[in-house]
Amino acid sequence: MPIMQVHLQTSAYSQEQVHHFLERVSQVYAEVLESPIERVRIFIHDYPAEFIAVGGQVTSDSGALAPFFEAFLMEGRPLSQQHAVLERITDVLVVCFEADRSLIRGVCNMVSPERWGIAGKPAAAARAAELAARENLNR
């Protein structure tokens, strides 16, 4: 289920930077979650500078760039893995976009297996064995 949404002002970056970011962040997300990369989905939400405010100032006036990301994880992921997502995704944003680390924000949204769909079925049913094994590791 590794899904991530990244909120950016993409006009501040080259197409090459964005593509490199998408490839690198996919690799890192899969690595941290020990998930097959085929399951990883990354979505960029693009905003014009006029639609973003950082510290109370509109970005088109201030020039501040402050990426925000939302990582969606299945409940049962250890806190250490959640913290690693926050740290490693921030690292990728810093490297790929030369972003100011202090302005980057991120959140891990935990989703119950009963509320997550995989091919139209609840993940609780679709990946019952995998979820049970993960639960046993957390004990």
Side-chain angles (χ1 to χ4, degrees):
M1 109 158 252
I3 306 293
M4 183 178 303
Q5 297 182 60
V6 184
H7 303 268
L8 297 170
Q9 178 193 331
T10 59
S11 65
Y13 313 109
S14 71
Q15 185 174 5
E16 291 78 21
Q17 282 178 296
V18 173
H19 285 189
H20 177 69
F21 168 75
L22 286 166
E23 292 168 355
R24 184 66 187 135
V25 78
S26 295
Q27 294 167 348
V28 168
Y29 202 29
E31 179 184 305
V32 170
L33 297 181
E34 300 172 355
S35 173
I37 197 158
E38 294 78 20
R39 294 184 187 171
V40 173
R41 308 287 186 274
I42 309 294
F43 299 92
I44 291 181
H45 293 271
D46 183 21
Y47 300 93
E50 297 80 19
F51 289 13
I52 304 169
V54 177
Q57 291 189 310
V58 178
T59 301
S60 60
D61 297 333
S62 70
L65 298 172
F68 170 64
F69 64 92
E70 299 173 273
F72 293 88
L73 308 169
M74 197 82 66
E75 282 180 353
R77 294 279 185 183
L79 190 57
S80 61
Q81 209 171 43
Q82 296 172 52
H83 289 172
V85 165
L86 296 172
E87 180 179 356
R88 299 279 308 279
I89 300 308
T90 297
D91 291 343
V92 175
L93 285 160
V94 167
V95 170
C96 290
F97 296 131
E98 299 176 6
D100 180 343
R101 180 179 296 277
S102 70
L103 296 179
I104 299 171
R105 301 292 185 269
V107 63
C108 290
N109 294 309
M110 307 311 289
V111 181
S112 73
E114 295 80 17
R115 297 178 186 268
W116 188 259
I118 299 171
K121 305 286 183 200
R127 296 225 171 88
E130 183 179 326
L131 292 170
R134 189 179 303 145
E135 185 64 30
N136 287 335
L137 285 175
N138 290 330
R139 290 182 187 175

